[in-house]
């Protein structure tokens, strides 16, 4: 039989194998939320960073974002009228409203970090971040920009699957009521009604130039919360409930991919811009911030490092090479993990040497999307063991720490 005669009979099996591979990939993406531990670390990291920042600036909150700010409420309103940014602080210029928004921002950060009602609190957390940062846009730095962006992405993730009060509540319900049991939810409807009333008041009092995507996101999230509760309450095993799970998995996985791409873009663009600067080309760029009083919390340490030409040269060139190379190492896990450790250590050095702790915390948290799942499981086990020792007893794993034997540890990002 000739080769030409064999071709038509060989093609269908090849196409069938390709279709099967695609079907399996789609089945995995729509039936599983990847990276539960990575998304939990991102939730804890960003909420904790923002919480610590708000608490540190608590005595100065009025001068930063409130009625006493040099960037007055009228100036902020004029700027927002031009860029259509969202800020709940623009609903009123009263001191009471500012204190309310600030208190809600602090409380939502704490509750999101603990993992309480993460679907709802992620939206409230986003509103708090956008409201304060858009109120005084000239106060932020690179870390604030990262928190600003990631707060929006967190809304689409299922970041409370593990290491959260939500996971503990679901595990307790399954233990008391059997597999598949869901806890009775009395708090959810009350929280949903209160937030709906706040949204209605905001829609009635906020300027009409707020961007459409912001309105759709806020009202859409509110409507989905109600739909999710109704499906859990009245049709827990129905096709409609399964369809909601499919959409939740898709949104979560897509959001994790977007977060990973965002981190790669941050590093690649930063690296490519650096190589266009003469100070980065000649290897002296690190010397200058070490000599600025504003960026020297430890003058003796900064002076000691700046005096070493070898240190300045190695870390200047090393920073550029790591930032440019990192996106290309994602397909080699060992190399990626080595560079990941290097970047995290670099940000820790920036926090200490240059006095930028919140920027460093934000970037380290963003980098965590690439951490291996095995390492996070090990870290969680060590944290659980430490907590058990503090309580004087053994056991007591973190919520959601124990996984089924067949659970996948390889993820889209880990």
């Amino acid at each position: 039989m000739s080769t030409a005669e064999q071709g038509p009979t060989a093609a269908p099996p090849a196409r069938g194998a390709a279709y099967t591979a695609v079907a399996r990939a789609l089945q995995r993406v729509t039936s599983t939320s990847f990276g539960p531990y990575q998304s939990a670390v991102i939730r804890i990291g960003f909420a904790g960073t923002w919480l610590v920042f708000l608490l540190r600036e608590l005595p100065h909150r009025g001068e930063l974002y409130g009625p006493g700010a040099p960037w007055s409420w009228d100036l902020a309103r004029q700027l927002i009228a031009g860029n259509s940014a969202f800020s709940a602080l623009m609903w009123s210029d009263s001191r009471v409203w500012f204190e309310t928004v600030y208190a809600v921002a602090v409380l939502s950060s704490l509750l999101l970090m603990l993992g309480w009602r993460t679907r709802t609190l992620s939206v409230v957390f986003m509103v708090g971040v956008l409201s304060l940062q858009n109120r005084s846009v000239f106060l932020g730095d690179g870390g604030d920009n990262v928190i600003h962006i990631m707060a929006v992405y967190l809304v689409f993730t299922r970041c409370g699957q593990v290491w959260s009060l939500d996971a503990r509540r679901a595990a307790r319900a399954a233990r008391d009521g059997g597999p598949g049991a869901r806890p009775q939810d009395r708090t959810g409807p009350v929280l949903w009604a209160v937030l709906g009333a706040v949204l209605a008041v905001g829609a009635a009092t906020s300027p009409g130039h707020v961007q459409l995507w912001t309105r759709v996101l806020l009202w859409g999230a509110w409507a989905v919360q109600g739909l999710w509760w109704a499906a859990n309450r009245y049709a827990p095993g129905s096709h409609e409930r399964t369809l909601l799970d499919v959409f939740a998995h898709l949104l979560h996985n897509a959001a994790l991919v977007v977060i990973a791409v965002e981190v790669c873009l941050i590093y690649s663009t930063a690296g490519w811009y650096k190589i266009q600067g003469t100070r980065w080309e000649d290897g002296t760029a690190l010397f200058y911030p070490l000599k600025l009083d504003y960026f020297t919390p430890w003058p003796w340490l900064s002076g000691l490092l700046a005096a070493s030409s070898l240190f300045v040269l190695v870390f200047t060139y090393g920073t550029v090479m790591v930032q440019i190379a990192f996106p290309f190492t994602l397909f080699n896990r060992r190399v990626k993990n080595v560079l990941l450790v290097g970047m995290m250590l670099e940000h820790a050095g920036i926090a200490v040497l240059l006095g930028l702790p919140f920027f460093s915390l934000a970037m380290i948290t963003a980098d965590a999307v690439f951490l291996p799942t095995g390492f996070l499981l090990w870290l969680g086990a060590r944290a659980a063991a430490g907590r058990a020792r503090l309580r004087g007893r053994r056991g007591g794993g973190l919520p959601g720490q124990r996984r089924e034997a067949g659970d996948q540890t390889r993820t889209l990002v880990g």
Side-chain angles (χ1 to χ4, degrees):
M1 184 179 292
S2 65
T3 305
E5 292 175 342
Q6 293 178 357
T9 60
R15 287 198 298 268
Y19 294 154
T20 301
V22 171
R24 288 177 179 174
L26 289 175
Q27 193 274 336
R28 287 193 63 193
V29 171
T30 57
S31 63
T32 305
S33 291
F34 293 100
Y37 295 96
Q38 286 84 355
S39 58
V41 172
I42 291 173
R43 181 199 83 232
I44 296 169
F46 282 116
T49 300
W50 186 240
L51 173 64
V52 174
F53 173 78
L54 293 179
L55 292 178
R56 192 195 72 167
E57 300 299 342
L58 191 63
H60 315 290
R61 62 190 183 279
E63 290 75 20
L64 293 177
Y65 307 108
W71 186 252
S72 67
W73 189 85
D74 290 331
L75 289 175
R77 189 180 182 91
Q78 293 178 32
L79 180 62
I80 288 177
N83 60 20
S84 299
F86 170 82
S87 177
L89 289 175
M90 293 296 100
W91 297 356
S92 173
D93 60 349
S94 70
R95 181 80 187 190
V96 175
W97 177 241
F98 163 71
E99 297 292 353
T100 301
V101 172
Y102 200 93
V104 169
V106 171
L107 183 61
S108 63
S109 301
L110 175 62
L111 294 178
L112 183 63
M113 184 178 65
L114 296 176
W116 185 79
R117 305 281 173 173
T118 51
R119 289 195 182 98
T120 301
L121 266 298
S122 61
V123 179
V124 180
F125 173 76
M126 179 196 70
V127 170
V129 171
L130 297 183
S131 297
L132 292 174
Q133 290 190 355
N134 289 336
R135 165 64 177 82
S136 299
V137 295
F138 300 107
L139 292 177
D141 57 18
D144 295 304
N145 293 335
V146 173
I147 295 175
H148 189 112
I149 296 172
M150 296 301 177
V152 179
Y153 295 157
L154 270 177
V155 173
F156 300 98
T157 64
R158 307 183 77 173
C159 54
Q161 297 178 92
V162 297
W163 297 342
S164 67
L165 295 178
D166 287 349
R168 173 178 291 178
R169 182 162 50 93
R172 184 182 298 116
R175 184 176 61 250
D176 297 340
R182 298 184 180 276
Q184 290 186 348
D185 190 4
R186 297 183 179 90
T187 307
V190 176
L191 189 61
W192 184 78
V194 171
L195 292 178
V198 172
L199 275 178
V201 172
T205 59
S206 62
H209 54 256
V210 175
Q211 288 183 337
L212 178 62
W213 75 268
T214 306
R215 297 178 183 272
V216 172
L217 178 58
L218 294 177
W219 282 107
W222 181 79
V224 168
Q225 295 297 325
L227 183 62
W228 195 279
W229 179 88
N232 285 334
R233 177 67 176 82
Y234 299 107
S238 65
H239 294 294
E240 291 78 8
R241 176 65 178 78
T242 303
L243 184 61
L244 286 177
D245 270 329
V246 170
F247 280 118
H249 293 316
L250 284 173
L251 286 175
H252 171 89
N253 295 332
L256 276 188
V257 171
V258 171
I259 291 174
V261 171
E262 185 72 36
V263 174
C264 290
L265 287 175
I266 290 173
Y267 283 120
S268 59
T269 53
W272 284 109
Y273 274 113
K274 283 182 174 66
I275 63 175
Q276 300 178 45
T278 57
R279 299 308 178 206
W280 291 95
E281 290 180 357
D282 59 26
T284 62
L286 184 62
F287 173 83
Y288 298 96
L290 292 175
K291 287 296 186 178
L292 294 175
D293 293 339
Y294 185 78
F295 293 111
T296 53
W298 315 99
W300 63 271
L301 180 59
S302 298
L304 179 65
L305 296 177
S308 173
S309 301
L310 179 61
F311 173 83
V312 172
L313 180 68
V314 170
F315 276 84
T316 298
Y317 284 147
T319 298
V320 176
M321 289 187 289
V322 168
Q323 289 182 345
I324 295 177
F326 179 73
F328 300 100
T329 65
L330 298 183
F331 301 103
N332 189 313
R333 300 185 72 189
R334 292 183 178 179
V335 178
K336 180 262 294 182
N337 291 337
V338 171
L339 292 186
L340 191 60
V341 172
M343 290 191 302
M344 289 184 170
L345 291 176
E346 177 189 354
H347 289 304
I350 291 174
V352 175
L353 294 177
L354 303 183
L356 297 173
F358 298 108
F359 166 78
S360 298
L361 284 174
M363 289 307 305
I364 290 174
T365 302
D367 293 340
V369 73
F370 297 107
L371 286 175
T373 302
F375 169 75
L376 293 177
L377 288 172
W378 174 85
L379 190 63
R382 299 288 77 76
R387 187 182 66 168
R389 283 194 296 269
L390 289 176
R391 293 185 175 184
R393 61 181 178 82
R394 295 182 179 180
L398 294 175
Q401 172 67 22
R402 295 182 177 88
R403 309 289 285 178
E404 297 298 329
D407 188 31
Q408 297 289 335
T409 58
R410 290 180 63 88
T411 68
L412 285 174
V413 296

